[in-house]
């Protein structure tokens, strides 16, 4: 795919522009949480999308941009740009919304921002939608319950490795689970392509 039309590099550019906009808003006395997602979700529904694009600082932006660059370039070759964008924003919005909802239930209502939920979705897709995973799944018959346990176990293990201060672990977990399920279903596959071709992705 032409890098000029790459959804990965386009999204990274948008992340940078939104971060600069955050800086400008802050310079004029705006709230740092203006783009963040907070409870109740219905109060500012547009933040389900803006929170995926906004970041808490240069390091936060850089780490997510690197993750998006590596994973995005792997997956965008196997899908269409519109599918890539929809997957990124839908997974990111659901991951952020789940983080905020769980925080509300637990009495820990902290605004959420960042693309990591969506990026974990891309990571889960790479893990579950490659040829090696397809080959193993075709040779090992397991019940749906066992498959669900495996998916949740893998997601929990990887999410635990990302734990840290003010890290949105629920968003990471949610994005990863959605990505794993989407990868097994090959939802990003181009119409007419084969499962084996779609799964021809490198492990990251």
């Amino acid at each position: 795919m032409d890098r000029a039309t790459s959804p990965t590099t386009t999204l990274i550019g948008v992340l940078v522009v939104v971060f600069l906009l955050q800086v400008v808003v802050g310079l004029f006395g705006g709230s740092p949480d203006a783009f963040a997602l907070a409870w109740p979700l219905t109060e500012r529904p547009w933040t389900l999308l803006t929170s995926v694009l906004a970041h808490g600082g240069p390091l936060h932006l850089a780490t997510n941009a690197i993750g998006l660059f590596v994973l995005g370039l792997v997956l965008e070759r196997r899908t269409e740009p519109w599918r890539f964008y929809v997957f990124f924003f839908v997974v990111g919005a659901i991951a952020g919304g789940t983080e905020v909802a769980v925080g509300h239930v637990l009495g820990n209502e902290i605004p959420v921002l960042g693309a990591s939920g969506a990026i974990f979705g891309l990571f889960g897709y790479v893990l579950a939608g490659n040829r090696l995973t397809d080959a193993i799944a075709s040779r090992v018959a397991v019940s749906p319950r066992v498959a669900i346990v495996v998916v949740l176990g893998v997601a929990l293990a990887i999410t635990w490795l990302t734990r840290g201060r003010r890290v949105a672990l629920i968003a990471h977990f949610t994005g990863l689970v959605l990505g794993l399920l989407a990868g097994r279903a090959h939802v990003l596959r181009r119409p007419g392509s084969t499962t084996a071709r779609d799964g021809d992705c490198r492990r990251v």
Side-chain angles (χ1 to χ4, degrees), residues 34 37 45 54 85 88 105 108 111 138-139 142 145 147 150 166-167 175 178 190 199 203-204:
L37 180 64
Y85 289 128
F88 183 87
V105 171
N108 186 28
S138 66
R139 290 171 172 77
V142 296
R145 289 184 180 181
V150 170
R166 297 183 69 84
V167 173
L178 292 175
R190 287 193 183 97
R203 282 180 170 261
V204 180

Side-chain angles (χ1 to χ4, degrees), residues 97-182:
T98 303
E99 175 77 33
V100 170
V102 172
H104 171 71
V105 171
L106 297 179
N108 186 28
E109 296 186 10
I110 299 177
V112 174
L113 46 72
S116 59
I119 293 168
F120 268 77
L122 298 177
F123 181 49
Y125 196 100
V126 171
L127 288 179
N130 60 75
R131 280 193 301 183
L132 177 59
T133 302
D134 286 340
I136 294 173
S138 66
R139 290 171 172 77
V140 180
V142 296
S143 69
R145 289 184 180 181
V146 173
I148 291 174
V149 170
V150 170
V151 168
L152 294 178
V154 170
L156 282 171
I158 295 175
T159 302
W160 181 250
L161 294 176
T162 68
R163 68 191 185 279
R165 182 175 177 270
R166 297 183 69 84
V167 173
L169 289 180
I170 299 299
H172 289 184
F173 175 77
T174 303
L176 192 54
V177 169
L178 292 175
L180 290 169
L181 295 175

Side-chain angles (χ1 to χ4, degrees), residues 7-201:
T8 298
T9 55
T10 298
L11 279 174
I12 291 174
V14 173
L15 297 184
V16 172
V17 170
V18 170
F19 181 72
L20 293 176
L21 183 58
Q22 289 179 262
V23 173
V24 172
V25 170
L27 290 175
F28 285 91
S31 169
D33 295 334
F35 298 83
L37 180 64
W39 190 266
L41 300 179
T42 55
E43 186 171 295
R44 298 189 304 159
W46 59 88
T47 58
L48 281 167
L49 297 182
T50 62
S51 63
V52 178
L53 301 172
H55 289 82
L59 181 60
H60 188 203
L61 171 63
T63 54
N64 277 345
I66 292 171
L68 174 56
F69 182 77
V70 174
L71 295 167
L73 291 184
V74 172
L75 287 179
E76 69 177 25
R77 297 177 300 170
R78 303 298 174 183
T79 189
E80 298 165 302
W82 73 267
R83 293 177 188 271
F84 189 93
Y85 289 128
V86 169
F87 181 81
F88 183 87
F89 282 108
V90 168
V91 171
I94 293 175
T98 303
E99 175 77 33
V100 170
V102 172
H104 171 71
V105 171
L106 297 179
N108 186 28
E109 296 186 10
I110 299 177
V112 174
L113 46 72
S116 59
I119 293 168
F120 268 77
L122 298 177
F123 181 49
Y125 196 100
V126 171
L127 288 179
N130 60 75
R131 280 193 301 183
L132 177 59
T133 302
D134 286 340
I136 294 173
S138 66
R139 290 171 172 77
V140 180
V142 296
S143 69
R145 289 184 180 181
V146 173
I148 291 174
V149 170
V150 170
V151 168
L152 294 178
V154 170
L156 282 171
I158 295 175
T159 302
W160 181 250
L161 294 176
T162 68
R163 68 191 185 279
R165 182 175 177 270
R166 297 183 69 84
V167 173
L169 289 180
I170 299 299
H172 289 184
F173 175 77
T174 303
L176 192 54
V177 169
L178 292 175
L180 290 169
L181 295 175
R184 293 309 309 138
H186 295 285
V187 299
L188 294 180
R189 182 193 311 163
R190 287 193 183 97
S193 63
T194 64
T195 300
R197 179 178 176 81
D198 177 70
D200 187 15
C201 298

